[in-house]
């Protein structure tokens, strides 16, 4: 036909088609406001004159709400096809609707927050997965997740313990923000303690923390009905304490001062109320606690022991709640609710130890019956306050405040009259006045201002300003006298002391997370902290009243160290092995001396079979602050001091491995071993607790801890709980100023530990819980004779011990029983929670420590003295009783946002 004739035909036909296409682009088509299917909408456009082609079998069966009005055909197609896998193309004959050919070949991410539909609380560790692909992830500690996948329409499933599963169809045409809310399943029995991640997901292999939730703690109960998260933590293998909790929490042979305690990300230096009978963490304010014994994420640092990462609740975003209640120890109140529903909320909790009034009167009568005058007085309170404000579509601001205080006083005076008749018939009268006084006061103040923001589909960040303050003040005085009433002769010993420790910490931190794929992401951050330490220590054989307060180290008595930290970690996979590589770098600067450190962290894990998983970890940690323990008085008086030019930071290296066998969905058996080496430890030299200068009387040493842990757990069903056994050893090796340089057991070294927890679901809202623990007795130093102390003059005496911690207290064991029930009438806005039980059911007297006191007596007409041992214990058989009444403004229906 030739090129000229072909060109003529194209020009003759192309002109009208081009004009038709141009007209289609400019023409506006009208559709009414109504709800129709996609096919009905496209048919209506064709009926209105649009040139539109499509295959009906490729159209999804979905309803579309038409906004009505007049639009161009391209504008209508953009609106109609935006939530489908379809696209359109424009040709000379009009528009063609067809499947998007590039959608399935591209990768996008669904990202967002998972929350509680009733309260708006962000859910930590919720499982998010694509149903068809089987890939998934967990939300981080801020409730954020990001999950990549190929484009197209897919079903997203979200699950969380204690909540109904939720599924939603998600179309990935681009990176998509998906915020979802789950409905609580109040009929589902709670899993008592689980891994910080959820089982069955690839990322859970690298989870090394143990999650302790609020509901689980409530079922356990506690001393006097005081529900305390640490009571549950102490039932875990590898975690121990003194008798009845006295002394704190000890994780795998480390000291209490080696643990990192975080409250909403802020370090807390004082963990306990009542010396450890219960903690500063009110169960009304706590959302959950993550406990780490090994495999520490790189974002945690500054301590060489375990980690207790405590998260407080955000406050209800949708309804007001008021809870009032009381146990046999304290009265509690909690108020929360929305400031602007769905946007901002508040939480306020308070607790006051009203049982101190009873202790005061009971102790007065108790001492009077034993011929002593005096009393024990104890006051405790704590407050939690939190504000939660939405900041745009992707941000949120939190303000958290905590304040708590303990005030303990114990006084006693006793005098006996002794008559002695000599061989010559002369009679002498003696009196032996003995007085004791102990004053101990400590308190924490913690504040945090946080802003977290979703920067993109893959990146999340949290900024934090923080403040932490601990003030401890302690004074004691002991006087033992012998007075001859006949001739006025007097002999007396006085020993007294004053301790104080104040720490203030200001900090700024950033923590970020970026996803690089389904199982790959990086976590990174930076911190700057300014500290102020002011330790104070005075001891001697003078009356306490004659002391003049003075500083004992620098001219102003204070240290002002600065701390700088950078960290990062990467999660990845090689075949069936999952790994997390982390590195933390820090610089501690004090008095012109800087200490730089690098702390690598490694976690390796994976499946051996469908029912067997393995995990191995290595951690190096550095601690630039030191806790000096003193047992000069009955309750320990602790002195926090910083690393300085003559005092280097402590370090630790730990390796561990474990195997987990899950033969049935409800049963698992986990066994593991660990070894921890501790370096540059610091302690008071022998006898130096009577010295005024703590810096010049310290000994340096090392330690090691190793053990085997195994636990069998049933996590679902009417009967739940676990049985664990731990075989462990922890010892110390200091210079020749302590135990002549010979190794000795750590005070809280417990060779054998058996722990049993059983929770039985009697009814939908009623459980009965029994817990039993057996632990080898504490190691302690026993003194059978004393010497004169020339360092402080006078006649004060110091105990002689042949072996540091060479003796063992009796084994520590007890059984607790608690019945928890929740009552709520249908339609009622009031909920009643009641706990009834017994603490220390068979009345075991577990000694906290032994106290020595002189006792004078007559033997064959000769006045003699001897040392009398007194076993000090805290909690005999006691009733458990608590009641809480909650008023709610109403239920919020389930919805997905």
């Amino acid at each position: 036909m030739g090129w000229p004739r072909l060109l003529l035909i194209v020009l003759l036909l192309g002109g009208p088609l081009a004009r038709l296409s141009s007209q289609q682009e400019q023409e506006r088509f009208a559709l009414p406001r109504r709800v129709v299917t996609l096919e009905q909408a496209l048919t209506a456009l064709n009926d209105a004159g649009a040139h539109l082609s499509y295959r009906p079998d490729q159209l999804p069966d979905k309803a579309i709400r038409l906004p009505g009005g007049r639009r161009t055909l391209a504008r209508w197609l953009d609106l109609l096809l935006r939530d489908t896998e379809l696209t359109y193309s424009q040709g000379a004959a009009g528009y063609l609707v067809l499947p998007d050919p590039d959608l399935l070949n591209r990768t996008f991410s669904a990202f967002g927050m998972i929350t509680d539909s009733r309260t708006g609380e962000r859910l930590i560790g919720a499982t998010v997965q694509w149903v068809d692909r089987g890939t998934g992830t967990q939300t981080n500690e801020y409730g954020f997740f990001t999950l990549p996948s190929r484009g197209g329409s897919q079903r997203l499933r979200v699950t969380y313990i204690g909540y109904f599963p939720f599924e939603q169809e998600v179309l990935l045409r681009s990176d998509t923000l998906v915020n979802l809310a789950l409905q609580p399943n109040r009929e589902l029995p709670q899993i008592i303690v689980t891994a910080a991640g959820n089982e069955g997901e690839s990322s859970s292999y690298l989870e090394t923390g143990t999650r302790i939730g609020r509901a689980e703690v409530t079922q356990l109960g506690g001393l006097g009905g005081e529900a305390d998260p640490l009571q549950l933590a102490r039932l875990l293998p590898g975690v121990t304490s003194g008798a009845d909790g006295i002394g704190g929490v000890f994780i795998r042979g480390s000291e209490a001062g080696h643990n990192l305690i975080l409250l909403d990300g802020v370090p807390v230096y004082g963990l306990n109320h009542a010396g450890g009978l219960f903690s500063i963490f009110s169960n009304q304010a706590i959302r959950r606690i993550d406990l780490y014994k090994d495999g520490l994420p790189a974002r945690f640092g500054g301590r060489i022991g375990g980690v207790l990462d405590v998260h407080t609740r955000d406050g209800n975003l949708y309804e007001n709640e008021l809870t009032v209640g009381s146990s046999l120890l304290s009265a509690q109140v909690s108020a929360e609710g929305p400031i602007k529903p769905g946007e901002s909320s508040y939480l306020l909790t308070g607790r006051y130890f009203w049982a101190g009034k009873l202790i005061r009167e009971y102790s007065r009568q108790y001492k009077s019956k034993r011929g002593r005058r005096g009393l024990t007085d104890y006051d405790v309170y704590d407050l939690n306050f939190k504000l939660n404000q939405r900041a745009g579509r992707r941000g949120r601001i939190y303000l958290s405040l905590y304040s708590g205080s303990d005030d303990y006083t114990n006084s006693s005076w006793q005098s006996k009259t002794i008559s002695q008749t000599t061989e010559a018939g002369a009679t002498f009268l003696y009196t032996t006045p003995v007085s004791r006084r102990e004053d101990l006061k400590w308190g924490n103040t913690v504040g945090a201002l946080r802003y977290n923001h979703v920067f993109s589909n893959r990146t999340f960040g949290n900024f934090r300003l923080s403040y932490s303050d601990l003030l401890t003040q302690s004074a004691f005085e002991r006087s033992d006298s012998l007075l001859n009433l006949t001739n006025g002769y007097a002999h007396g010993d006085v020993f007294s002391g004053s301790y104080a420790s104040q720490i203030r910490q200001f900090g700024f931190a950033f923590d970020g997370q970026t996803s690089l794929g389904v199982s790959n992401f990086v976590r990174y951050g930076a911190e700057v902290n300014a500290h102020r330490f002011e330790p104070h220590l005075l001891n001697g054989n003078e009356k306490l009243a004659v002391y003049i307060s003075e500083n004992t180290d620098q001219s102003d008595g204070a240290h002002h160290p600065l701390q700088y930290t950078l960290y990062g970690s990467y999660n990845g996979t090689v075949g069936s092995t999952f790994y997390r590589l982390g590195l933390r770098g820090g610089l501690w600067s004090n008095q012109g001396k800087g200490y730089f450190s690098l702390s690598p962290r490694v976690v390796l894990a994976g499946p051996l079979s469908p029912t067997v998983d393995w995990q191995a970890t290595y951690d190096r940690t550095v601690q630039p602050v030191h806790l000096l323990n003193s047992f000069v008085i009955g309750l320990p008086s602790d002195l926090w001091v910083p690393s300085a030019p003559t005092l280097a930071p402590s370090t630790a290296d730990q390796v561990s491995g474990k195997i987990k066998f899950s033969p049935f969905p409800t049963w698992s058996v986990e066994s593991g071993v660990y070894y921890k080496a501790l370096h540059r430890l610091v302690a008071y030299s022998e006898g130096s607790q009577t010295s005024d200068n703590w810096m010049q009387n310290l000994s340096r040493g090392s330690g090691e801890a190793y053990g085997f842990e195994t636990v069998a757990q049933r996590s679902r069903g009417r009967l739940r709980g676990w049985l664990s056994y731990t075989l462990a050893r922890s010892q110390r090796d200091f210079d020749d100023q302590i135990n002549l340089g010979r190794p000795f057991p750590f005070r809280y070294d417990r060779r054998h530990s058996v722990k049993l927890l059983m929770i039985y679901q009697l009814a939908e809202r009623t459980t009965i819980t029994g817990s039993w623990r057996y632990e080898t007795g504490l190691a302690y130093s026993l003194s059978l004779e004393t010497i004169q102390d020339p360092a402080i003059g006078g006649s004060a005496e110091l105990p002689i011990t042949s072996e540091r911690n060479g003796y063992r207290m009796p084994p520590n064991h007890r059984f607790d029983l608690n019945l928890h029930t929740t009552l709520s009438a249908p339609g009622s806005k009031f909920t009643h929670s009641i706990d009834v039980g017994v603490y220390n059911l068979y009345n075991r007297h577990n000694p906290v420590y032994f106290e020595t006191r002189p006792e004078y007596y007559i033997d064959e007409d000769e006045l003699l003295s001897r040392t009398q041992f007194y076993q000090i214990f805290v909690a005999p058989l006691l009733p458990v009783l608590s009641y809480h009444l909650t008023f709610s403004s109403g239920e919020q229906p389930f919805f997905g946002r």
Side-chain angles (χ1 to χ4, degrees):
M1 182 168 57
W3 283 107
R5 183 175 298 180
L6 179 60
L7 181 59
L8 177 62
I9 294 175
V10 172
L11 291 176
L12 290 174
L13 295 178
L17 291 176
R19 287 193 298 269
L20 176 62
S21 177
S22 177
Q23 290 174 3
Q24 289 282 309
E25 289 183 5
Q26 301 301 323
E27 187 175 358
R28 298 164 64 86
F29 300 91
L31 292 179
R33 181 191 298 269
R34 64 179 58 177
V35 177
V36 296
T37 65
L38 177 58
E39 184 176 5
Q40 289 172 335
L42 296 180
T43 301
L45 286 173
N46 272 334
D47 292 342
H51 293 270
L52 188 63
S53 301
Y54 57 88
R55 284 178 51 178
D57 63 323
Q58 293 180 339
L59 302 181
D61 185 17
K62 61 180 298 184
I64 299 175
R65 184 181 297 275
L66 294 177
R70 300 177 63 87
R71 290 173 173 81
T72 64
L73 183 55
R75 291 282 303 279
W76 276 121
L77 292 177
D78 287 337
L79 177 65
L80 297 174
L81 304 180
R82 66 183 180 185
D83 293 328
T84 72
E85 297 181 354
L86 303 174
T87 187
Y88 64 91
S89 63
Q90 183 181 6
Y95 286 77
L96 176 64
V97 177
L98 72 165
D100 188 341
D102 296 328
L103 194 59
L104 299 181
N105 299 323
R106 300 174 62 188
T107 299
F108 305 103
S109 293
F111 65 100
M113 299 288 177
I114 307 299
T115 59
D116 183 309
S117 67
R118 189 179 67 86
T119 66
E121 292 275 353
R122 300 190 179 191
L123 300 182
I124 305 171
T127 301
V128 186
Q129 61 183 157
W130 298 118
V131 177
D132 297 332
R133 296 177 62 84
T135 58
T137 187
Q138 281 92 37
T139 56
N140 65 12
E141 61 268 32
Y142 307 103
F144 172 79
F145 78 94
T146 178
L147 186 60
S149 180
R150 60 173 174 78
S153 181
Q154 301 183 66
R155 292 201 66 78
L156 188 69
R157 179 180 173 87
V158 183
T159 57
Y160 192 70
I161 296 171
Y163 289 78
F164 287 106
F166 180 72
E167 290 189 12
Q168 176 173 305
E169 195 79 19
V170 176
L171 176 66
L172 291 181
R173 297 181 65 96
S174 61
D175 295 327
T176 305
L177 178 64
V178 183
N179 293 327
L180 297 175
L182 302 187
Q183 181 185 17
N185 181 0
R186 297 181 177 178
E187 298 181 1
L188 180 66
Q190 291 285 335
I191 295 178
I192 299 306
V193 170
T194 64
N198 292 284
E199 298 177 7
E201 297 301 320
S202 59
S203 58
S204 71
Y205 288 113
L206 299 177
E207 292 294 344
T208 52
T210 301
R211 180 175 62 210
I212 300 173
R214 179 188 178 198
E216 295 90 333
V217 174
T218 301
Q219 294 174 335
L220 182 64
L223 177 64
E226 197 70 27
D228 184 6
L230 293 193
Q231 292 291 342
L232 190 55
R234 293 185 181 109
L235 285 171
L236 296 173
V239 182
T240 187
S241 67
D244 300 310
I246 293 295
V249 174
F250 304 91
I251 300 176
R252 289 186 170 178
S254 293
E255 300 172 15
H258 291 165
N259 297 324
L260 176 63
I261 313 298
L262 297 173
L263 183 61
D264 283 338
V266 183
V268 179
Y269 289 89
L271 175 63
N272 298 311
H273 286 312
L277 286 178
F278 55 100
S279 72
I280 65 173
F281 305 127
S282 168
N283 205 42
Q284 298 289 332
I286 297 305
R287 184 197 315 177
R288 63 178 269 181
I289 294 179
D290 292 332
L291 185 147
Y292 295 85
K293 298 182 293 185
D294 55 22
L296 306 184
R299 65 182 182 274
F300 297 136
R303 300 293 187 275
I304 59 175
V307 176
L308 286 170
D309 189 16
V310 182
H311 306 269
T312 61
R313 298 193 297 119
D314 295 339
N316 200 314
L317 280 167
Y318 304 111
E319 57 187 69
N320 291 292
E321 285 190 355
L322 175 65
T323 300
V324 293
S326 179
S327 69
L328 294 179
L329 296 179
S330 69
Q332 305 107 26
V333 63
S334 171
E336 61 181 303
I339 300 173
K340 184 179 180 180
E343 298 287 333
S344 57
S345 65
Y346 73 94
L347 172 69
L348 176 64
T349 70
R351 179 170 56 170
Y352 178 70
F353 189 71
W354 63 265
K357 310 293 184 184
L358 299 179
I359 291 177
R360 186 181 304 119
E361 185 59 32
Y362 172 79
S363 64
R364 182 185 286 112
Q365 296 178 7
Y366 178 86
K367 293 182 180 184
S368 177
K369 291 179 181 180
R370 285 157 178 76
R372 304 198 299 267
R373 298 201 304 263
L375 55 82
T376 300
D377 196 3
Y378 191 43
D379 286 316
V380 180
Y381 81 88
D382 52 37
L383 295 170
N384 286 275
F385 177 70
K386 193 169 187 179
L387 285 178
N388 166 22
Q389 173 65 55
R390 182 177 178 181
R393 190 164 178 242
R394 296 189 176 189
R396 191 163 287 276
I397 299 173
Y398 298 92
L399 175 64
S400 305
L401 298 172
Y402 168 82
S403 178
S405 177
D406 290 61
D407 194 348
Y408 167 83
T409 299
N410 183 35
S411 62
S412 175
W413 186 89
Q414 181 181 32
S415 181
K416 294 182 180 180
T417 300
I418 301 174
S419 176
Q420 178 191 17
T421 302
T422 65
E423 294 180 356
T427 300
F428 295 91
L429 292 179
Y430 297 90
T431 183
T432 59
V434 177
S435 65
R436 299 285 189 274
R437 181 173 180 84
E438 300 168 347
D439 296 286
L440 186 59
K441 184 175 183 179
W442 70 95
N444 289 282
T445 302
V446 179
L449 178 63
R450 294 178 293 147
Y451 171 69
N452 56 53
H453 184 79
V454 180
F455 290 99
S456 70
N457 63 306
R458 295 177 180 268
T459 301
F460 176 89
N462 182 72
F463 301 86
R464 184 184 70 242
L465 284 173
S466 63
Y467 172 78
S468 183
D469 182 288
L470 170 69
L471 176 60
T472 301
Q473 295 175 317
S474 173
F476 68 93
E477 181 178 294
R478 297 181 178 181
S479 175
D480 300 298
S481 303
L482 175 65
L483 305 179
N484 188 324
L485 300 180
T486 304
N487 56 24
Y489 168 79
H491 170 77
D493 292 328
V494 176
F495 185 53
S496 62
S498 173
Y499 296 77
S501 180
Q502 183 172 21
I503 306 171
R504 289 179 180 173
Q505 178 176 329
F506 297 88
F508 173 76
F510 169 76
D511 179 58
Q513 178 178 316
T514 298
S515 174
L516 304 178
V518 175
S519 301
N520 306 79
F521 67 88
V522 293
R523 190 79 180 254
Y524 46 89
E527 299 179 28
V528 178
N529 291 287
H531 302 78
R532 185 180 190 274
F533 290 79
E534 189 168 6
H536 168 86
L537 169 62
L538 287 173
N539 287 284
N541 63 332
E542 299 285 347
K543 288 284 186 180
L544 189 62
V546 307
Y547 281 135
I548 300 175
S549 178
E550 62 184 45
N551 296 310
T552 61
D553 185 42
Q554 304 176 18
S555 58
D556 63 351
H559 295 251
H560 300 87
L562 292 174
Q563 186 178 21
Y564 308 90
T565 304
L566 291 172
Y567 63 85
S569 65
Y570 174 76
N571 285 35
T573 59
V574 176
S576 62
T577 299
F578 301 85
Y579 63 88
R580 183 176 72 221
L581 305 178
L583 183 64
R584 184 179 180 91
L587 175 63
W588 176 271
S589 177
N590 185 22
Q591 297 180 341
K593 175 66 174 180
Y595 293 98
F596 177 74
S597 62
L598 286 175
S599 303
R601 317 276 175 86
V602 179
V603 179
L604 302 174
L608 291 176
S609 72
T611 59
V612 180
D613 301 329
W614 65 276
Q615 187 181 86
T617 69
Y618 166 74
D619 301 302
R620 181 171 178 82
T621 49
V622 179
Q623 179 165 336
V625 297
H626 310 275
L627 182 61
L628 305 178
N629 297 113
S630 168
F631 289 88
V632 174
I633 63 175
L635 291 176
S637 179
D638 301 330
L639 202 65
W640 283 96
V641 297
S643 290
T646 59
L647 188 60
S650 301
T651 61
D653 294 276
Q654 180 179 212
V655 292
S656 66
K658 67 179 180 181
I659 298 290
K660 183 175 183 179
F661 176 48
S662 304
F664 307 105
T666 59
W667 279 95
S668 65
V669 178
E670 184 176 298
S671 299
V673 294
Y674 68 90
Y675 176 82
K676 180 187 293 185
L678 308 168
H679 314 285
R680 297 176 181 173
L681 300 181
V682 181
Y684 283 118
S685 301
E686 300 282 9
S688 67
Q689 297 176 32
T690 63
S691 172
D692 293 350
N693 195 325
W694 60 267
M695 182 68 80
Q696 300 301 320
N697 292 275
L698 298 179
S699 292
R700 278 73 169 175
S702 60
E704 64 176 0
Y706 49 90
F708 166 78
E709 301 169 355
T710 186
V711 57
Q713 179 176 356
R714 190 170 194 263
S715 56
R716 292 177 175 87
R718 278 189 171 271
L719 179 63
R720 312 183 305 280
W722 67 77
L723 173 65
S724 73
Y725 169 72
T726 301
L727 174 65
R729 185 182 184 187
S730 180
Q731 68 176 21
R732 302 291 187 263
D733 188 357
F734 278 77
D735 56 33
D736 58 7
Q737 297 299 311
I738 296 181
N739 205 45
L740 301 178
R742 297 170 299 185
F744 59 91
F746 174 49
R747 175 177 171 81
Y748 293 95
D749 169 54
R750 296 191 185 276
R751 193 61 44 85
H752 304 281
S753 175
V754 181
K755 298 172 183 178
L756 173 67
L757 175 67
M758 298 178 295
I759 297 183
Y760 185 74
Q761 196 86 25
L762 292 174
E764 178 183 327
R765 296 190 176 187
T766 302
T767 59
I768 184 168
T769 303
S771 63
W772 181 77
R773 70 206 73 195
Y774 173 92
E775 296 175 311
T776 302
L778 299 179
Y780 72 104
S781 302
L782 178 63
S783 171
L784 300 178
E785 53 184 331
T786 60
I787 61 171
Q788 300 294 320
D789 181 16
I792 60 176
S795 58
E797 295 182 337
L798 291 176
I800 298 177
T801 58
S802 60
E803 190 74 24
R804 181 75 171 256
N805 293 341
Y807 295 85
R808 289 281 177 177
M809 288 187 178
N812 185 320
H813 55 89
R814 74 167 195 269
F815 183 82
D816 303 331
L817 192 66
N818 185 66
L819 176 71
H820 174 78
T821 186
T822 302
L823 306 174
S824 180
S828 174
K829 295 182 179 180
F830 293 91
T831 301
H832 311 265
S833 298
I834 303 171
D835 286 87
V836 180
V838 180
Y839 183 91
N840 196 359
L841 182 65
Y842 50 83
N843 198 28
R844 168 71 176 178
H845 288 185
N846 292 307
V848 178
Y849 62 93
F850 290 103
E851 185 175 270
T852 59
R853 300 172 186 170
E855 183 177 277
Y856 295 92
Y857 63 99
I858 300 294
D859 185 17
E860 297 181 354
D861 297 330
E862 184 178 0
L863 180 64
L864 301 174
S865 67
R866 61 190 173 193
T867 299
Q868 188 69 30
F869 283 84
Y870 291 87
Q871 175 178 300
I872 308 301
F873 66 93
V874 176
L877 184 150
L878 293 172
V880 170
L881 178 63
S882 70
Y883 170 76
H884 292 85
L885 173 64
T886 300
F887 170 78
S888 174
S889 63
E891 291 290 332
Q892 183 75 12
F894 168 70
F895 59 92
R897 298 190 300 279

